[in-house]
C-alpha cells in the first residue's frame, strides 16, 4: 500500500510541475486596419502570386528547353527560381487569408511547418547568391580558368551540397520547436510564422535556442554576404582596369542583374533581423518582410529576363514572344 501511494504521489508531482501545452492553434493578424483597401490589396497579391509562379516557372522551362542557356549561370538562376517558387507558395496563401478575413487561424504544427519552408527557401537563396557571385568572379577575373572550374560536375555537386546543408540547418532550427511547451498568447501580429514570434508563445526556456539561431544565422547569413562582397570588390577592381569604356560596360552588365537581386534581398533581411522592431516600427517590419517574401520572388525573374539578351533570344527561338 505504501509503495502504491508513493508511486501515485510521484506521478501527481511530476504532472503538476510539467508545463501544459495550451496553444494548439495560432492566429496570424496580418495587416490590420486595411478597411477599404482590403479587396484591392487582395487582388494585387493574387496578381503578384500568379505572375511570380509564371515567371519563375518560365525561367526553369527555358533552362530545360533551350540549348543556349545550358551554362552554369543559368543553372544557378533556375535553382534560384525554384527557391522563389517555394518561398512564395509557402507565404502568400496564408497572407491572402489574413487580408481577406482580417486574420488567419493556423495550427501550431502548420505554423512551425511554414517556418521550416521559409528557412529552407531563404537560406538556400542566400547560399545560391554567394555561389552565383563566385561564378561571376571567375567569369570576369579569371576567364581562362572559368570552364575548367565551373564544369558540370562542380555545378551539380555545389548545388547538391547547398540543398543538403540547408535541409540539415532547417532541421536543427525547427526540431527543437516541436519539443517546447507553449502557454500563449496564441496570437502573432504578423502575416507569417517567423521564428521570434513563435518563441514568444513558449513558456519554456528559449535562451539556448536563441544562441543556436544566432550562431546559425551568422554562419549562413554573414559568410555568404562576405563571399558576395569579396567577389564584387575583386570584380570592380578588375573592371576598372579594363582600358575601354565599352569593355567596362560589357563586363559590368554581365553581373549587374545579380547585384540588384543581392542588394534587394540582403538590404531588407539586414534591416528586419539586425535591427529590433517594436512599437511604431512593427508596420515597417511587416512591409519590409513583404518585400523579401512577396516582391523579391516576383522581381527576380523580371530582372534576369529584361536585362539578359540570352534569355530574350531563347524566348524568341521557342516562339514564346
Amino acid at each position: 500500500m505504501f509503495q502504491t501511494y508513493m508511486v501515485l504521489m510521484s506521478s501527481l508531482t511530476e504532472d503538476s510541475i510539467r508545463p501544459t501545452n495550451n496553444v494548439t492553434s495560432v492566429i496570424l493578424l496580418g495587416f490590420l486596419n486595411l478597411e477599404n483597401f482590403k479587396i484591392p490589396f487582395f487582388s494585387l497579391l493574387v496578381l503578384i502570386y500568379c505572375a511570380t509562379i509564371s515567371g519563375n516557372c518560365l525561367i526553369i522551362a527555358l533552362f530545360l528547353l533551350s540549348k543556349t542557356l545550358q551554362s552554369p549561370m543559368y543553372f544557378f538562376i533556375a535553382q534560384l527560381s525554384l527557391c522563389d517558387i517555394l518561398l512564395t507558395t509557402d507565404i502568400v496563401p496564408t497572407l491572402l487569408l489574413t487580408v481577406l478575413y482580417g486574420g488567419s487561424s493556423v495550427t501550431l504544427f502548420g505554423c512551425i511547418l511554414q517556418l521550416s519552408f521559409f528557412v529552407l527557401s531563404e537560406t538556400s537563396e542566400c547560399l545560391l547568391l554567394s555561389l552565383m557571385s563566385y561564378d561571376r568572379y571567375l567569369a570576369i577575373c579569371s576567364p581562362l580558368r572559368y570552364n575548367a572550374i565551373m564544369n558540370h560536375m562542380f555545378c551539380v555537386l555545389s548545388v547538391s551540397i547547398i540543398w543538403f546543408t540547408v535541409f540539415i540547418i532547417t532541421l536543427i532550427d525547427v526540431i527543437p520547436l516541436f519539443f517546447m511547451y507553449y502557454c500563449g498568447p496564441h496570437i502573432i501580429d504578423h502575416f507569417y510564422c517567423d521564428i521570434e514570434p513563435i518563441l514568444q508563445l513558449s513558456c519554456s526556456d528559449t535562451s539556448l535556442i536563441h544562441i543556436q539561431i544566432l550562431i546559425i544565422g551568422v554562419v549562413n547569413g554573414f559568410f555568404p554576404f562576405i563571399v558576395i562582397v569579396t567577389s564584387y570588390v575583386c570584380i570592380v577592381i578588375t573592371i576598372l582596369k579594363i582600358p575601354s569604356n565599352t569593355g567596362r560596360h560589357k563586363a559590368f552588365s554581365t553581373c549587374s542583374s545579380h547585384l540588384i537581386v543581392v542588394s534587394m534581398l540582403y538590404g531588407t533581411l539586414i534591416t528586419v533581423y539586425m535591427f529590433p522592431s517594436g512599437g511604431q516600427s512593427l508596420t515597417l517590419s511587416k512591409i519590409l518582410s513583404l518585400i523579401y517574401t512577396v516582391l523579391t520572388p516576383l522581381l527576380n525573374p523580371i530582372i534576369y529576363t529584361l536585362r539578359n539578351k540570352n534569355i530574350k533570344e531563347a524566348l524568341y527561338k521557342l516562339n514564346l514572344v
Side-chain angles (χ1 to χ4, degrees):
M1 291 290 295
F2 179 77
Q3 292 178 345
T4 304
Y5 174 79
M6 292 300 295
V7 170
L8 289 173
M9 290 299 295
S10 176
S11 62
L12 287 174
T13 303
E14 290 176 356
D15 290 337
S16 64
I17 63 175
R18 183 185 294 125
T20 56
N21 200 12
N22 295 326
V23 178
T24 57
S25 63
V26 176
I27 296 177
L28 296 171
L29 297 181
F31 290 91
L32 302 175
N33 302 321
L34 288 177
E35 298 177 355
N36 296 330
F37 296 98
K38 179 185 296 184
I39 300 302
F41 188 41
F42 177 84
S43 303
L44 178 62
L45 289 174
V46 171
L47 183 63
I48 290 175
Y49 179 68
C50 294
T52 300
I53 297 298
S54 301
N56 285 288
C57 286
L58 177 63
I59 287 182
I60 296 174
L62 285 175
F63 170 75
L64 295 175
L65 298 176
S66 177
K67 294 181 180 179
T68 59
L69 299 183
Q70 299 300 313
S71 66
M73 181 176 68
Y74 298 108
F75 175 64
F76 298 145
I77 291 176
Q79 295 294 319
L80 192 66
S81 293
L82 184 61
C83 290
D84 288 335
I85 292 173
L86 179 63
L87 176 61
T88 193
T89 304
D90 180 46
I91 300 297
V92 174
T94 305
L95 173 59
L96 290 174
L97 291 176
T98 63
V99 172
L100 190 61
Y101 297 107
S104 176
S105 179
V106 185
T107 64
L108 182 61
F109 176 81
C111 192
I112 298 176
L113 191 63
Q114 185 187 52
L115 173 66
S116 303
F117 284 106
F118 171 75
V119 173
L120 183 71
S121 56
E122 284 292 353
T123 309
S124 301
E125 189 158 352
C126 289
L127 293 178
L128 281 170
L129 288 174
S130 65
L131 183 60
M132 292 170 69
S133 68
Y134 178 66
D135 172 78
R136 293 299 84 203
Y137 161 77
L138 288 177
I140 295 175
C141 300
S142 301
L144 298 178
R145 298 168 49 198
Y146 181 81
N147 291 329
I149 298 176
M150 279 290 171
N151 52 48
H152 178 73
M153 180 63 69
F154 176 84
C155 294
V156 173
L157 182 61
S158 59
V159 169
S160 300
I161 291 174
I162 284 177
W163 283 108
F164 177 77
T165 302
V166 169
F167 179 74
I168 298 300
I169 290 170
T170 303
L171 290 180
I172 294 174
D173 271 345
V174 172
I175 285 180
L177 300 179
F178 287 103
F179 296 95
M180 296 173 58
Y181 292 101
Y182 298 89
C183 52
H186 65 294
I187 296 176
I188 292 179
D189 191 3
H190 214 315
F191 61 87
Y192 74 96
C193 297
D194 204 355
I195 181 66
E196 188 59 35
I198 293 178
L199 291 178
Q200 290 177 1
L201 305 180
S202 175
C203 50
S204 303
D205 183 13
T206 60
S207 57
L208 291 179
I209 296 181
H210 276 101
I211 295 174
Q212 169 188 303
I213 293 172
L214 178 62
I215 295 173
I216 294 177
V218 168
V219 172
N220 295 285
F222 185 72
F223 176 72
F225 183 72
I226 291 298
V227 172
I228 293 170
V229 171
T230 304
S231 298
Y232 274 100
V233 167
C234 296
I235 288 172
V236 170
I237 293 174
T238 302
I239 290 177
L240 291 177
K241 292 180 180 179
I242 299 176
S244 65
N245 291 330
T246 304
R248 285 197 296 267
H249 177 75
K250 183 178 180 180
F252 184 75
S253 64
T254 61
C255 58
S256 58
S257 299
H258 178 254
L259 190 58
I260 293 172
V261 173
V262 168
S263 301
M264 288 173 49
L265 178 65
Y266 272 94
T268 51
L269 285 177
I270 290 174
T271 304
V272 171
Y273 290 102
M274 293 297 291
F275 299 99
S277 61
Q280 299 298 325
S281 63
L282 184 58
T283 301
L284 176 61
S285 178
K286 291 180 184 179
I287 294 173
L288 292 173
S289 299
L290 195 68
I291 292 175
Y292 65 76
T293 57
V294 178
L295 290 183
T296 300
L298 169 68
L299 295 177
N300 282 355
I302 294 176
I303 291 171
Y304 283 118
T305 53
L306 292 180
R307 300 177 61 87
N308 195 298
K309 294 182 180 179
N310 292 333
I311 290 182
K312 292 179 182 178
E313 292 175 0
L315 288 170
Y316 282 113
K317 289 180 180 179
L318 294 173
N319 297 321
L320 296 176
V321 176

